[in-house]
Amino acid sequence: MSPSDEANTAAAGSRRGPADKCGARAAGAAGLATEPVAPSLVELNGVGVRFGRKDALRDVDLKVEDGAFVAVIGADGAGKSTLVRVLAGLRRPTSGGVTRSVPKEEVGFSGSEFDLYGDLTVMENLRFFASVRGLRDARFRRAAERILEMVGLTEAADRPAAHLSGGMKKKLGLAAALIYEPRLLILDEPTIGVDPTSRRELWGIVAEACAAGTTAVFATTYLDEAERARRVVLLSAGQVTEFSPEMTADMTEGWRAWVLPQGAQKKELRVALARAGLGPRVYLRQEGLALLTHDLVEAEELAGRVLSLAPGTQKGRCDIRPAGFEPASLEPVSLNLDDLFVLVQTGLAAQRGGGS
């Protein structure tokens, strides 16, 4: 959190409640829970945010219950950062209302960019942010020892923040947000730009905080990270669609996923996809060409169209594989969150008259 952001949410206070696993009480927001719904910490009602003529958020309704673990996903520019900043109390809506049962001083926030003080050491940064919340002297020393061990920065306590690696800077940002034990933790793309090992470590830190009772909301562009959450909020054109794992079966009914493995021909496939213009149901995964269809016949037909348009294919001969492509069978794969994202985006576009 930047110093100006911290000033907006400054005051003394800390809280510790019963230990709950992240998301254990969050299903009620989707109307799926049989248990009583947990109390809401923050609720958005018809919230809109406008920058000039652009609507970053439009008529957003969202509840974050105590104990929830919520992922916010969407394409670049969809409004993810704006939404999490509204939840954190760092952005005032242009329209609509925000109801809070958790005071802003019990909200921890860590942004996508490193915005702590690079010329201060790790410990000095923590001392500054803790002092803003009234955490000083012996209480600060105990909290700092705990949080540095938690994030793995004990040995780097006296190192200037500017000299930390990207992953260590992310850990310091999390430490600054967690040192006063917030009731609600809000993270804006917490692992962007870090290596896979650091990503795992960062999520381990978040999981530990959640296990101690912290409610968490995070924005991410990594769909595999969103699968960690109990609830997923998809942002598209400033509006939200919420779903949970229990809802995916209904949302994907009748759809199947297939992959045509292609290792070294990604460049040719990208050209072919652009030429084919088949929309988002045919795209590239790490494993190869992915297709979302209703049956194998449709998948084979679409794959054939793409391959026939790749560089090196003889014109007018759709049954000829491009030079360098090995014939391969389509492999059925499980629908994942990438596929769900594509299907939901396509559905949203159709509802608004866009089409896929």
Side-chain angles (χ1 to χ4, degrees):
M1 183 184 296
S2 67
S4 59
D5 286 343
E6 185 67 29
N8 288 338
T9 59
S14 65
R15 165 267 191 197
R16 194 69 308 166
D20 293 294
K21 186 177 179 181
C22 278
R25 294 174 287 170
L32 298 171
T34 58
E35 303 174 359
V37 177
S40 175
L41 300 184
V42 184
E43 183 173 349
L44 308 186
N45 300 288
V47 162
V49 175
R50 171 167 286 198
F51 298 107
R53 296 183 178 181
K54 176 179 174 58
D55 288 317
L57 298 177
R58 294 191 296 161
D59 196 30
V60 170
D61 295 326
L62 180 64
K63 289 183 181 180
V64 178
E65 291 89 355
D66 193 18
F69 193 30
V70 184
V72 179
I73 64 173
D76 290 340
K80 300 186 299 297
S81 293
T82 302
L83 177 58
V84 296
R85 285 183 171 270
V86 170
L87 289 171
L90 301 174
R91 172 72 63 186
R92 181 173 296 179
T94 307
S95 59
V98 181
T99 303
R100 300 181 186 277
S101 64
V102 56
K104 287 192 287 186
E105 59 266 22
E106 293 187 14
V107 178
F109 179 83
S110 183
S112 58
E113 301 292 333
F114 179 74
D115 52 7
L116 304 184
Y117 291 100
D119 55 345
L120 297 183
T121 67
V122 167
M123 184 65 80
E124 288 168 342
N125 269 287
L126 293 181
R127 181 176 288 109
F128 169 77
F129 286 98
S131 66
V132 172
R133 301 301 180 104
L135 196 63
R136 299 182 177 91
D137 303 325
R139 289 180 60 218
F140 165 72
R141 288 192 293 273
R142 288 193 297 270
E145 182 179 353
R146 173 187 59 82
I147 201 68
L148 286 173
E149 182 178 358
M150 181 179 179
V151 302
L153 291 179
T154 301
E155 300 300 320
D158 297 322
R159 190 182 306 177
H163 296 169
L164 300 176
S165 66
M168 295 173 77
K169 287 179 178 178
K170 287 288 188 179
K171 291 176 182 178
L172 177 55
L174 263 180
L178 288 169
I179 191 167
Y180 48 86
E181 301 184 43
R183 190 175 180 187
L184 173 61
L185 177 65
I186 298 179
L187 307 172
D188 187 7
E189 301 194 60
T191 64
I192 190 169
V194 301
D195 60 85
T197 300
S198 294
R199 284 180 67 188
R200 288 193 298 272
E201 293 172 347
L202 286 164
W203 283 117
I205 297 166
V206 174
E208 186 174 344
C210 289
T214 302
T215 299
V217 180
F218 66 94
T220 182
T221 56
Y222 300 120
L223 297 176
D224 63 312
E225 292 185 349
E227 291 175 334
R228 299 172 182 268
R230 185 61 182 78
R231 292 166 53 198
V232 178
V233 174
L234 169 68
L235 266 173
S236 178
Q239 294 184 292
V240 300
T241 297
E242 184 172 343
F243 54 91
S244 65
E246 291 85 351
M247 298 169 64
T248 58
D250 290 338
M251 298 176 70
T252 59
E253 184 177 2
W255 291 96
R256 300 184 66 184
W258 312 84
V259 168
L260 182 64
Q262 298 287 348
Q265 294 83 22
K266 295 289 181 68
K267 182 177 179 180
E268 289 86 348
L269 281 174
R270 288 191 184 95
V271 173
L273 282 171
R275 291 173 176 174
L278 296 174
R281 291 196 295 119
V282 184
Y283 65 98
L284 281 178
R285 285 189 189 180
Q286 184 175 0
E287 310 95 298
L289 184 67
L291 307 101
L292 304 180
T293 68
H294 294 289
D295 54 46
L296 177 60
V297 173
E298 183 186 9
E300 290 177 337
E301 190 271 332
L302 293 178
R305 286 171 62 184
V306 173
L307 294 175
S308 71
L309 294 171
T313 303
Q314 182 179 346
K315 292 184 178 180
R317 295 289 303 279
C318 294
D319 58 333
I320 301 296
R321 288 288 187 268
F325 282 98
E326 292 294 331
S329 299
L330 285 165
E331 299 177 356
V333 293
S334 299
L335 288 163
N336 61 18
L337 194 55
D338 293 84
D339 303 321
L340 183 60
F341 181 82
V342 168
L343 294 176
V344 173
Q345 286 283 65
T346 302
L348 288 172
Q351 290 173 18
R352 293 175 190 140
S356 61

